[in-house]
Tab-separated table of all heavy atoms in Angstrom:
chain	number	residue	atom	x	y	z
B	64	LEU	N	72.679	78.100	55.488
B	64	LEU	CA	73.450	78.492	56.660
B	64	LEU	C	72.762	79.704	57.256
B	64	LEU	O	72.532	80.704	56.571
B	64	LEU	CB	74.884	78.866	56.280
B	64	LEU	CG	75.862	77.734	56.074
B	64	LEU	CD1	77.165	78.272	55.493
B	64	LEU	CD2	76.131	77.004	57.379
B	65	ILE	N	72.410	79.615	58.531
B	65	ILE	CA	71.706	80.682	59.223
B	65	ILE	C	72.637	81.258	60.290
B	65	ILE	O	73.139	80.519	61.136
B	65	ILE	CB	70.423	80.155	59.916
B	65	ILE	CG1	69.531	79.398	58.950
B	65	ILE	CG2	69.695	81.276	60.629
B	65	ILE	CD1	68.816	80.245	57.958
B	66	ILE	N	72.863	82.569	60.254
B	66	ILE	CA	73.655	83.228	61.290
B	66	ILE	C	72.704	83.593	62.428
B	66	ILE	O	71.685	84.255	62.200
B	66	ILE	CB	74.322	84.514	60.771
B	66	ILE	CG1	75.090	84.270	59.471
B	66	ILE	CG2	75.251	85.091	61.841
B	66	ILE	CD1	75.532	85.560	58.776
B	67	ILE	N	73.041	83.161	63.644
B	67	ILE	CA	72.197	83.456	64.804
B	67	ILE	C	73.045	84.112	65.893
B	67	ILE	O	74.270	84.011	65.895
B	67	ILE	CB	71.491	82.191	65.339
B	67	ILE	CG1	72.507	81.099	65.673
B	67	ILE	CG2	70.464	81.688	64.329
B	67	ILE	CD1	71.917	79.872	66.331
B	68	ASN	N	72.381	84.787	66.822
B	68	ASN	CA	73.086	85.465	67.915
B	68	ASN	C	73.632	84.496	68.956
B	68	ASN	O	74.732	84.656	69.450
B	68	ASN	CB	72.158	86.459	68.614
B	68	ASN	CG	71.919	87.682	67.766
B	68	ASN	OD1	72.823	88.184	67.132
B	68	ASN	ND2	70.680	88.153	67.746
B	69	LYS	N	72.827	83.517	69.330
B	69	LYS	CA	73.232	82.556	70.363
B	69	LYS	C	72.709	81.180	69.962
B	69	LYS	O	71.767	81.068	69.176
B	69	LYS	CB	72.711	82.971	71.726
B	69	LYS	CG	71.204	83.077	71.804
B	69	LYS	CD	70.744	83.569	73.157
B	69	LYS	CE	69.223	83.652	73.166
B	69	LYS	NZ	68.691	84.067	74.428
B	70	PRO	N	73.316	80.132	70.483
B	70	PRO	CA	72.880	78.786	70.115
B	70	PRO	C	71.387	78.559	70.358
B	70	PRO	O	70.803	79.110	71.278
B	70	PRO	CB	73.727	77.878	71.011
B	70	PRO	CG	74.941	78.691	71.317
B	70	PRO	CD	74.448	80.114	71.413
B	71	ASP	N	70.808	77.739	69.515
B	71	ASP	CA	69.405	77.327	69.623
B	71	ASP	C	69.411	75.911	70.184
B	71	ASP	O	70.042	75.022	69.613
B	71	ASP	CB	68.771	77.364	68.228
B	71	ASP	CG	67.315	76.972	68.210
B	71	ASP	OD1	66.897	76.118	69.027
B	71	ASP	OD2	66.572	77.492	67.353
B	72	SER	N	68.726	75.679	71.279
B	72	SER	CA	68.769	74.370	71.955
B	72	SER	C	68.273	73.217	71.084
B	72	SER	O	68.608	72.066	71.338
B	72	SER	CB	67.969	74.425	73.258
B	72	SER	OG	66.611	74.705	72.990
B	73	LYS	N	67.502	73.503	70.046
B	73	LYS	CA	67.032	72.440	69.148
B	73	LYS	C	68.134	71.977	68.198
B	73	LYS	O	68.019	70.935	67.583
B	73	LYS	CB	65.819	72.922	68.354
B	73	LYS	CG	64.611	73.140	69.218
B	73	LYS	CD	63.442	73.629	68.410
B	73	LYS	CE	62.271	73.920	69.345
B	73	LYS	NZ	61.178	74.559	68.658
B	74	PHE	N	69.192	72.765	68.086
B	74	PHE	CA	70.335	72.437	67.234
B	74	PHE	C	71.514	72.155	68.170
B	74	PHE	O	72.262	73.056	68.531
B	74	PHE	CB	70.636	73.599	66.280
B	74	PHE	CG	69.592	73.761	65.226
B	74	PHE	CD1	68.384	74.377	65.508
B	74	PHE	CD2	69.808	73.280	63.943
B	74	PHE	CE1	67.407	74.519	64.539
B	74	PHE	CE2	68.831	73.415	62.963
B	74	PHE	CZ	67.630	74.035	63.263
B	75	SER	N	71.638	70.897	68.580
B	75	SER	CA	72.560	70.553	69.661
B	75	SER	C	73.824	69.817	69.224
B	75	SER	O	74.660	69.499	70.063
B	75	SER	CB	71.819	69.720	70.702
B	75	SER	OG	71.291	68.549	70.097
B	76	ILE	N	73.976	69.554	67.949
B	76	ILE	CA	75.179	68.853	67.484
B	76	ILE	C	76.127	69.878	66.869
B	76	ILE	O	75.802	70.537	65.878
B	76	ILE	CB	74.823	67.761	66.464
B	76	ILE	CG1	73.939	66.702	67.122
B	76	ILE	CG2	76.102	67.124	65.900
B	76	ILE	CD1	73.415	65.653	66.173
B	77	LEU	N	77.299	70.001	67.486
B	77	LEU	CA	78.314	70.933	67.008
B	77	LEU	C	79.126	70.274	65.906
B	77	LEU	O	79.602	69.153	66.059
B	77	LEU	CB	79.226	71.357	68.158
B	77	LEU	CG	80.264	72.421	67.871
B	77	LEU	CD1	79.610	73.732	67.424
B	77	LEU	CD2	81.123	72.660	69.105
B	78	VAL	N	79.254	70.960	64.791
B	78	VAL	CA	79.980	70.440	63.629
B	78	VAL	C	81.387	71.031	63.628
B	78	VAL	O	81.553	72.244	63.517
B	78	VAL	CB	79.251	70.798	62.321
B	78	VAL	CG1	80.024	70.295	61.112
B	78	VAL	CG2	77.832	70.240	62.332
Side-chain angles (χ1 to χ4, degrees):
L64 279 171
I65 307 287
I66 309 169
I67 56 174
N68 287 320
K69 60 183 180 178
D71 181 327
S72 62
K73 293 179 184 172
F74 290 78
S75 58
I76 297 174
L77 185 61
V78 178

